[in-house]
Amino acid sequence: MPATTPATTTARAGAIRPAVPADLRAIARLCAAHAAFEDAGPVPADLASRLEPALFGPDPRAWCLVVDRGGELLGYASWSREFSTWQAAEHVHLDCLFVTEPHRGEGWGRALLDAVKDAAQAQGTAEVQWQTPDWNTDAVRFYHRAGALGRPKVRFSLAL
């Protein structure tokens, strides 16, 4: 099912808009900054080319919005659709929401989160879910202020 993306939103001398293929290198740089901030290790060197089919292929697996101020990308949010067996319904998984440090506190994070919520509704889902590191108390406060409910979990992964 094709996804719809939110219309461009102009605010704070910039815009939130759907990512386009020309943004891939800048998105990869934002991902690298985000991974470094979370001490998650380096992103793959070829991240931009790996993201291209997922975001812009004939059957996208993920979607991305960017904060664009005069051609400079200040932040991004990416998401995918997932299925909950317990709810027997799809939801949006917010994979990343990141605004570069000099632009935090300008309202871009909330604007990105609201735009993802709008996209989730447009995609026919009724819930957005995500995780954030428990040590990132600023993010936890931000999400609580946005009305999110936190549920403690232990995250596991298996390398294949």
Side-chain angles (χ1 to χ4, degrees):
M1 171 203 283
T4 57
T5 54
T8 301
T9 305
T10 304
R12 295 168 287 289
I16 292 177
R17 62 169 175 77
V20 296
D23 296 325
L24 284 166
R25 285 178 173 241
I27 292 168
R29 284 191 298 271
L30 288 168
C31 289
H34 190 184
F37 174 77
E38 290 199 5
D39 199 23
V43 300
D46 62 345
L47 182 60
S49 63
R50 292 170 69 169
L51 285 172
E52 187 169 19
L55 296 174
F56 304 111
D59 189 20
R61 179 66 184 101
W63 296 270
C64 183
L65 296 169
V66 295
V67 178
D68 183 340
R69 182 181 292 164
E72 177 189 5
L73 299 190
L74 311 178
Y76 75 107
S78 60
W79 70 95
S80 60
R81 292 170 59 120
E82 302 296 337
F83 183 78
S84 167
T85 305
W86 290 358
Q87 298 296 317
E90 287 188 313
H91 63 273
V92 158
H93 170 75
L94 176 64
D95 184 53
C96 295
L97 190 152
F98 180 75
V99 175
T100 56
E101 210 275 316
H103 301 287
R104 293 181 194 145
E106 294 177 3
W108 291 115
R110 182 60 188 259
L112 279 167
L113 185 58
D114 288 345
V116 170
K117 286 171 33 183
D118 292 344
Q121 288 178 324
Q123 290 180 331
T125 64
E127 185 175 40
V128 178
Q129 298 180 10
W130 65 93
Q131 304 171 69
T132 197
D134 59 358
W135 56 260
N136 190 347
T137 56
D138 290 339
V140 171
R141 278 194 306 273
F142 165 77
Y143 292 130
H144 279 281
R145 283 193 311 268
L149 302 174
R151 296 183 184 110
K153 284 191 171 191
V154 176
R155 181 175 177 257
F156 296 94
S157 66
L158 289 172
L160 303 176

